């Protein structure tokens, strides 16, 4: 069972030590610039005809005779969207990358819910295959876990760009978009992330790969079967080819890291052998939320 | 092309599974991966080699089938007709006799013979068979016919030197018998490596035909004289490779010692030196006894001359005699010679007589006799004492050695009768050591009495009268030896004859065991028959060892009479007790003990000398040297390897090629 009692205990533990994580640097502090009916005083401005008298600062007027209007910063809920890759390539590895992806999603979502943020989960492969609507409150965690538990790797052609295209067209508030995937997208992961950025979402990447993907050991005449497309490729794998493969893979990983760095995005790269708890703690330490 | 084992070609059927496996190999191992996009990127760079990549599997299959075919054909052992036709069966005869130790060819003739034999063996071709026969002392098949070059080569290297005579003629006969056992159409040949110094070389040379030419290119060497000859008779042809030069050699060809027949302390040495060279030689001949020089003789020998001399010396102690020629020549083995001089022991003699001057003096003049004269026999006699009863003898003769002369009364060993009418010796036992050098024919034995031995089966009649009455007889009883001589010494002329002291001396020797007069020096290569009675002392242990001059020990069988040898090296051979068993006295299996522990006084020593004029003359016969042409062995060339070897070699090359392809395909 992916999400058992121990897992919930760990979630609680993580939520306790991760106060304000989503408002910290890891997910960028997203306090709205909109002035409005909040409770936190921001500044004064001169009264203009038509302003609401209820916001006049009578104390200032009594002392100085100036009509000044009190301004308050309006606080909004932070919306966190989790885009979890459910393609069949995520089912690869031992343990499957998809397990870690779901655990990380659950952990981050629980922390967000603990901070009274709103979260939504979009499971996708070649299209959006499941949607957990925006929700708020820790009491939703169980239904969230059930949602994640039901997810399975599926689909034949991952295309993050197409998914994001349909995602951003939704009538919803902007927020944090956490993409949890191996990013093995034949069409390129950049287009989808670019689209998120352009639509003023704040993308954060959690990239998971299997060590066997990074350092394959097979040699000889082999038929490679693509886990997503089921396409077969007959190859003769030599030591030299392995070396070339490692170079290509390392270059891909470096490209992902470089993309995040270039656009100031949060980027976490990990293998599926890492425990989700350690991974979350590592992300928190990177963000400075825990020491 | 023919096949020795055509059935092995069935191995070619293994090609079927190879092809099947090749076809099955098309269905490659399937391996799921999360994505092939990285592999696509990698493999796109290798596209220029795609044509080769498609072909290399087929090439690999063809290579594997070729390897299988080569292996199958190799196992079938193919051969060509010309191979079978030119196959040879050669017996190599190497002379390892004494003369082959000559150093006129460096390092020795035998080493050179081995080297040349190795050259012949190196020319061994596939389907050739070689055998090796050693021609020293006794012709011996060292290794039978084999096609394995290394076996023959190792056997040649294992040949050791001997000091024995050459037996090349017998070895050639043995080689021909070996060849005669197999008649399968192969060319047969006997190749002899010798210096030509062997008996029968003339006969062997006479049946040898002139060089046949053919595949024998002429050539010469600096030190070797070679005469290739071929026998065209029905027997296998013989090639005689003469090794050696006409080097000069001076050798001791005879060296013997024996105790003097007249002087108990004296001994006589017979020495002979032969100059086997074409030039006169001056040298010095020295004789040492137990490392003490006893004589030195300057010698001057003409070319081919011979010197011989008998030395008369005295010594009671005996020991080892060593003769040395002070002369440098090519053969060292005959520059020294050994002999063993038996030790003389003092013999106590108790003469019981009322008085007889002849009898008393004949013992007194013997320096080895410690004489005691008494009128009446004592109650006890010390052990080892010879008791001589003159006229009066006890009725029961005591145990030990007893000599009864002119008995007047009967004893337990003989009855006495009347006087013999005509007591003239008409018959004597010439074979008995008691009668050696003694002639008693027609000797008058006055007042001789008719004696009747009571133990006839243990009695040996040494001299008898015409009427068959014994006049002189010996009784070999278990408790001691007895001699009885019936003669009145005062009235006959026997004491005045030389036969009398010799008879007494013989009797004393017989009582002493009669084994210390002569120990003949044997020629190298001889066999020696010995018995325990020849030992200087009784053996404490049943386990005996034969110790060579070089100190090597060999166990001897624990039997009374044995033949040892051949004694293949010059020097003094010893029979010793196994020190490991001598103390315990247990008659267990003999074991070879450490050389240093086996230094007890030997039971028996046997001198062994070259003593062979033929071997000392190390000059090869001139007639053989006259036609000096070197016979080069047929070079094996590629033919030294069978076809299967080349097939395997090719298979190995193909395997290497396939391995390289595999490495390039999979690993590198």
């Amino acid at each position: 069972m992916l999400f058992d009692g121990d897992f919930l205990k760990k979630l609680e533990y993580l939520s306790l030590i991760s106060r304000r994580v989503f408002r910290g640097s890891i997910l960028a502090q997203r306090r709205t610039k909109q002035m409005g009916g909040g409770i936190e005083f921001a500044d004064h401005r001169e009264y203009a005809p038509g302003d609401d008298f209820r916001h006049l600062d009578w104390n200032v007027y009594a002392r100085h005779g100036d009509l000044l209007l009190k301004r308050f910063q309006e606080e909004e809920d932070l919306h966190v969207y989790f885009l979890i890759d459910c393609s069949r390539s995520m089912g690869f590895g031992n343990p499957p990358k998809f397990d870690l992806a779901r655990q990380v999603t659950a952990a981050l979502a629980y922390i967000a819910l603990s901070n009274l943020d709103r979260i939504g989960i979009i499971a996708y492969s070649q299209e959006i295959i499941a949607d957990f609507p925006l929700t708020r409150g820790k009491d939703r965690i169980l239904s969230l876990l059930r949602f994640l538990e039901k997810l399975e790797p599926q689909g034949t052609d991952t295309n993050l760009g197409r998914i994001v295209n349909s995602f951003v067209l939704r009538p919803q508030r902007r927020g944090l978009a956490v993409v949890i995937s191996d990013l093995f997208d034949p069409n390129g992961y950049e287009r989808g992330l670019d689209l998120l950025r352009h639509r003023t979402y704040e993308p954060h990447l959690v990239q998971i790969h299997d060590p066997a993907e990074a350092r394959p050991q097979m040699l000889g005449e082999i038929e490679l079967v693509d886990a997503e497309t089921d396409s077969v490729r007959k190859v003769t794998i030599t030591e030299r080819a392995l070396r070339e493969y490692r170079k290509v893979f390392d270059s891909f990983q470096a490209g992902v890291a470089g993309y995040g760095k270039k656009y100031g995005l949060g980027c976490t790269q990990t293998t599926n052998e890492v425990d989700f708890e350690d991974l979350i703690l590592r992300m928190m330490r990177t963000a400075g939320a825990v020491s | 092309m023919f096949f020795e084992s055509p059935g092995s070609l069935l191995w070619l059927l293994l090609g079927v599974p190879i092809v099947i496996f090749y076809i099955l190999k098309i269905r490659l191992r399937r391996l799921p991966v999360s994505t092939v996009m990285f592999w696509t990127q990698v493999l796109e760079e290798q596209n220029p080699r795609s044509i080769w990549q498609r072909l290399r599997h087929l090439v690999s299959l063809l290579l594997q089938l070729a390897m299988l075919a080569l292996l199958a054909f190799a196992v079938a052992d193919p051969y060509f007709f010309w191979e079978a036709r030119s196959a040879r069966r050669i017996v190599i005869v190497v002379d390892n006799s004494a003369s082959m130790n000559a150093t006129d060819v460096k390092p020795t003739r035998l080493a050179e013979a081995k080297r040349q034999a190795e050259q012949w063996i190196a020319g061994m071709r596939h389907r050739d068979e070689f055998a090796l026969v050693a021609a020293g002392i006794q012709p011996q098949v060292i290794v039978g016919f084999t096609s394995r070059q290394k076996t023959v080569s190792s056997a040649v290297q294992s040949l050791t030197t001997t000091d024995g005579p050459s037996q090349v003629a017998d070895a050639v006969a043995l080689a021909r018998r070996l060849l005669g056992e197999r008649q399968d159409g192969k060319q047969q040949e006997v190749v002899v490596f010798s210096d030509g110094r062997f008996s029968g070389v003339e006969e062997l040379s006479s049946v040898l035909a002139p060089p046949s030419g053919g595949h024998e290119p002429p050539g010469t060497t600096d030190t070797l004289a070679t005469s290739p000859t071929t026998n065209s008779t029905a027997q296998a042809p013989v090639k005689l490779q003469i090794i050696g030069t006409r080097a000069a050699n001076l050798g001791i060809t005879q060296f013997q010692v024996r105790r003097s027949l007249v002087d108990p302390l004296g001994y006589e040495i017979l020495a002979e030196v032969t100059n086997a060279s074409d030039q006169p030689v001056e040298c010095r001949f020295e004789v040492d006894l137990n490392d003490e020089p006893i004589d030195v003789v300057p010698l001057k020998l003409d070319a081919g001359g011979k010197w011989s001399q008998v030395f008369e010396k005295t010594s009671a102690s005996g020991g080892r005699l060593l003769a040395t020629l002070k002369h440098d020549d090519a053969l060292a083995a005959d520059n020294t010679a050994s002999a063993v001089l038996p030790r003389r022991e003092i013999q106590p003699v108790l003469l019981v007589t009322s008085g007889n001057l002849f009898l008393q003096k004949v013992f007194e003049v013997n320096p080895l006799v410690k004489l005691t004269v008494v009128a009446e026999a004592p109650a006890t006699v010390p052990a080892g004492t010879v008791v001589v009863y003159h006229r009066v003898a006890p009725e029961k003769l005591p145990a030990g050695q007893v000599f009864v002369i002119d008995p007047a009364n009967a004893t337990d060993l003989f009855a006495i009768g009347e006087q013999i009418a005509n007591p003239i010796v008409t018959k004597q036992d010439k074979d008995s050591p008691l009668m050696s050098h003694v002639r008693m024919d027609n000797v008058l034995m006055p007042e001789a009495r008719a004696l009747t031995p009571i133990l006839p089966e243990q009695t040996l009649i040494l001299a008898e009268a015409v009427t068959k009455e014994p006049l002189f007889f010996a009784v070999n009883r278990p408790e001691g030896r007895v001699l009885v001589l019936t003669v009145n010494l005062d009235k006959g002329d026997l004491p005045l004859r030389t036969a009398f002291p010799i008879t007494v001396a013989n009797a004393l020797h017989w009582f002493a065991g009669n084994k210390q007069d002569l120990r003949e020096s044997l020629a190298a290569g001889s066999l020696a028959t010995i018995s325990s009675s020849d030992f200087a002392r009784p053996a404490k242990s049943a386990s005996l060892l034969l110790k060579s001059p070089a100190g090597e020990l060999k166990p001897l069988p624990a039997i009374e009479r044995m033949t040892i040898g051949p004694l293949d090296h010059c020097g003094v051979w010893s029979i010793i007790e196994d020190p490991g068993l001598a103390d315990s006295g247990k008659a267990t299996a003999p074991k070879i003990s450490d050389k240093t522990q086996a230094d007890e006084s030997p039971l028996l020593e046997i001198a062994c000398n070259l003593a062979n004029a033929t071997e000392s003359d190390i000059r090869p016969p001139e007639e053989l040297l006259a036609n000096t042409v070197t016979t080069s062995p047929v070079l094996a060339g590629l033919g030294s390897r069978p076809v299967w070897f080349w097939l395997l070699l090719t298979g190995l090359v193909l395997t290497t090629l396939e391995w390289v392809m595999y490495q390039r395909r999979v690993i590198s």
Side-chain angles (χ1 to χ4, degrees), chain A residues 53-65:
Chain A
F53 292 143
R54 287 178 295 178
H55 292 154
L56 279 173
D57 190 345
W58 296 106
N59 291 327
V60 174
Y61 179 73
R63 288 183 183 176
H64 305 286

Side-chain angles (χ1 to χ4, degrees), chain A residues 5-69:
Chain A
D6 286 343
F7 182 79
L8 293 174
K9 285 181 185 174
K10 288 178 181 176
L11 289 187
E12 185 61 30
Y13 166 74
L14 289 173
S15 69
L16 288 175
I17 64 172
S18 63
R19 297 287 181 198
R20 309 309 300 167
V21 167
F22 285 91
R23 297 189 181 280
S25 58
I26 181 173
L27 298 180
Q29 186 163 348
R30 299 304 304 160
R31 183 162 297 182
T32 176
K33 301 274 176 57
Q34 195 170 5
M35 297 298 175
I39 57 172
E40 191 172 350
F41 173 75
D43 59 359
H44 291 91
R45 74 170 173 83
E46 288 189 1
Y47 172 78
D51 286 341
D52 191 349
F53 292 143
R54 287 178 295 178
H55 292 154
L56 279 173
D57 190 345
W58 296 106
N59 291 327
V60 174
Y61 179 73
R63 288 183 183 176
H64 305 286
D66 296 331
L67 289 172
L68 294 177
L69 209 63

Side-chain angles (χ1 to χ4, degrees), chain B residues 132-192:
Chain B
L132 178 66
V133 172
I137 300 180
Q138 288 177 331
Q140 187 180 4
V141 179
I142 304 299
V143 62
F145 282 114
T146 177
S147 299
R148 194 161 183 267
Q149 196 178 39
K150 202 169 184 179
T151 302
V152 189
S153 179
S154 301
V156 167
Q157 292 306 321
S158 70
L159 284 176
T160 54
T161 61
T162 68
D163 290 331
S166 174
Q167 303 291 347
V168 170
D170 292 343
V172 169
L174 175 61
R176 282 174 166 159
R177 283 200 299 276
L178 276 178
L179 290 169
E181 292 172 359
R182 303 186 181 196
Q183 296 292 344
D184 54 1
K186 286 189 176 181
Q187 298 176 22
Q188 297 188 334
E189 212 169 42
V190 179
V191 184
V192 180

Side-chain angles (χ1 to χ4, degrees), chain B residues 184-206:
Chain B
D184 54 1
K186 286 189 176 181
Q187 298 176 22
Q188 297 188 334
E189 212 169 42
V190 179
V191 184
V192 180
F193 297 91
S194 173
D195 54 8
R197 297 306 309 172
F198 54 88
S199 59
V201 65
E202 299 83 7
E203 290 81 1
L204 189 62
S205 303
S206 65

Side-chain angles (χ1 to χ4, degrees), chain A residues 23 31-32 65 77 92 103 120 176 197:
Chain A
R23 297 189 181 280
R31 183 162 297 182
T32 176
D77 295 340
F92 192 82
Q103 288 174 328
L176 194 60
R197 286 192 299 108

Side-chain angles (χ1 to χ4, degrees), chain B residues 321-494:
Chain B
L321 282 163
L322 178 67
T324 309
L325 271 181
K326 296 297 182 185
H327 182 257
D328 289 331
D329 52 33
L331 185 60
D334 60 358
N335 288 347
T336 58
S338 303
V340 177
L341 178 64
R343 177 184 174 83
R344 287 295 199 192
E345 302 289 347
I346 299 296
Q347 214 169 2
V349 175
L350 177 64
L351 177 58
V352 183
T353 178
S354 55
N356 183 285
L357 187 60
F358 295 117
L359 195 55
Q360 187 172 343
K361 287 300 178 186
V362 81
F363 286 112
E364 280 180 351
V365 296
N366 191 328
L368 293 176
V369 169
K370 183 182 178 186
L371 181 64
T372 306
V373 181
V374 294
E376 291 184 2
T380 58
V381 178
T385 302
V386 178
V387 183
V388 182
Y389 293 105
H390 182 222
R391 289 186 178 160
V392 179
E395 290 183 357
K396 179 174 176 53
L397 293 176
Q401 323 298 340
V402 176
F403 194 177
V404 182
I405 299 175
D406 191 14
N409 57 290
T411 68
D412 56 339
L413 292 182
F414 56 87
I416 194 163
E418 296 300 322
Q419 285 190 355
I420 300 172
N422 191 14
I424 298 176
V425 178
T426 56
K427 184 179 179 185
Q428 73 174 56
D429 186 352
K430 294 176 182 176
D431 297 330
S432 171
L434 285 161
M435 301 301 287
S436 61
H437 312 296
V438 174
R439 291 291 303 272
M440 284 192 176
D441 295 347
N442 300 320
V443 173
L444 182 63
M445 300 288 190
E447 297 182 7
R449 307 283 293 271
L451 302 179
T452 305
I454 294 177
L455 302 173
E457 65 278 4
Q458 299 176 10
T459 302
L460 174 67
I461 307 299
L462 300 171
E464 61 184 15
V466 67
T467 52
K468 304 295 183 184
E469 282 91 359
L471 299 173
F472 186 29
F473 62 92
V475 182
N476 205 351
R477 52 180 187 158
E479 58 267 32
R481 294 174 168 180
V482 176
L483 274 178
V484 180
L485 174 63
T486 172
V487 61
N488 188 335
L489 296 176
D490 297 330
K491 294 186 177 177
D493 61 348
L494 179 62

